[in-house]
Each structure stands twice: as structure tokens, then as C-alpha cells.
Amino acid sequence: MSGGRTPEGEELEPVAIETEEPGEPRWWAVATSLVFAVLFAYQLLRAIGNMVQTTQVYEAFGRAEATPWLWMSLWVALPVLGFAGALLVARGRPVFDRAIVLTASLATVCALGVALVFAASTIG
């Protein structure tokens, strides 16, 4: 396979580029992702628990038709989407960068969860 020609007409040979960089072990990235998976799972369980309890409270007061299903469903979906999105963004990055992306995503999920609870209590 030819690497091309110089302006003088000499043939160029392809140069092999090494892509292997010494870096962190792969298990660091996996361990970081697992720690954050537990934290995101906690947010998911909290959202599901609130959905169950809110439904029971609305039924107890005879207002089952007014249950804010849209807001609660968004709250349940939020941790899953946040974790998946953060893993996609952090893919292939060093462990510290991966931890920063996952931390920012977790903080966003927590803040939006509080906002959805507020929206459900005032609008729903």
C-alpha cells in the first residue's frame, strides 16, 4: 500500500502510529461506574417509592383521578436516562473525568427530581 508521493515525486511509506497509551487500569473505570450505578439506583428507588406512596395518599383522600402521573413518571425515568447519558459522555475518558461527568449527572438528576416533586405538588 502506498503512502502517497512528495512534491518531488518520491514515494512515501505509511507510518505506524501507536495508539496504546499507558493509563489507568480498566477496573478503575468499572469500579467508578459501579459506585455511581448504586447512587443512581438509590435515586430510582426513591422515585418509585414516592410514586407508590403518592398514589396511596391520593386514593386515601378520594382524589385518585388527580394523581400527577406525568411528573412521577418523569421522575422515575430521570435516573435511568441520567446514568445512561453520563456513561455515553464519559466513555473512553480517564477515570477522574468519568467521575466528574457522573457526579454532574447525579447532581442534575437530584435537582430535577426536587423540581419535579415541586411541579407535581403545585400543578398536578
Side-chain angles (χ1 to χ4, degrees):
M1 182 173 161
S2 170
R5 296 198 176 272
T6 65
E8 293 82 29
E10 298 172 5
E11 190 166 323
L12 295 174
E13 292 296 321
V15 177
I17 299 174
E18 290 189 31
T19 56
E20 289 286 325
E21 291 184 17
E24 298 112 355
R26 180 83 177 133
W27 67 271
W28 274 105
V30 172
T32 304
S33 297
L34 286 177
V35 167
F36 278 95
V38 170
L39 295 172
F40 277 95
Y42 172 73
Q43 292 300 316
L44 178 64
L45 289 176
R46 195 173 70 122
I48 292 170
N50 266 347
M51 180 184 267
V52 170
Q53 291 175 350
T54 302
T55 304
Q56 292 172 351
V57 168
Y58 273 78
E59 287 175 359
F61 284 107
R63 304 248 316 139
E65 71 283 347
T67 305
W69 290 109
L70 173 67
W71 305 113
M72 292 189 304
S73 300
L74 287 173
W75 192 14
V76 168
L78 200 59
V80 176
L81 296 175
F83 184 63
L87 283 181
L88 284 175
V89 170
R91 185 173 173 226
R93 297 185 188 269
V95 175
F96 183 76
D97 293 349
R98 176 183 294 257
I100 294 295
V101 169
L102 286 165
T103 301
S105 180
L106 183 63
T108 303
V109 165
C110 292
L112 288 176
V114 171
L116 288 174
V117 169
F118 178 73
S121 66
T122 56
I123 298 172

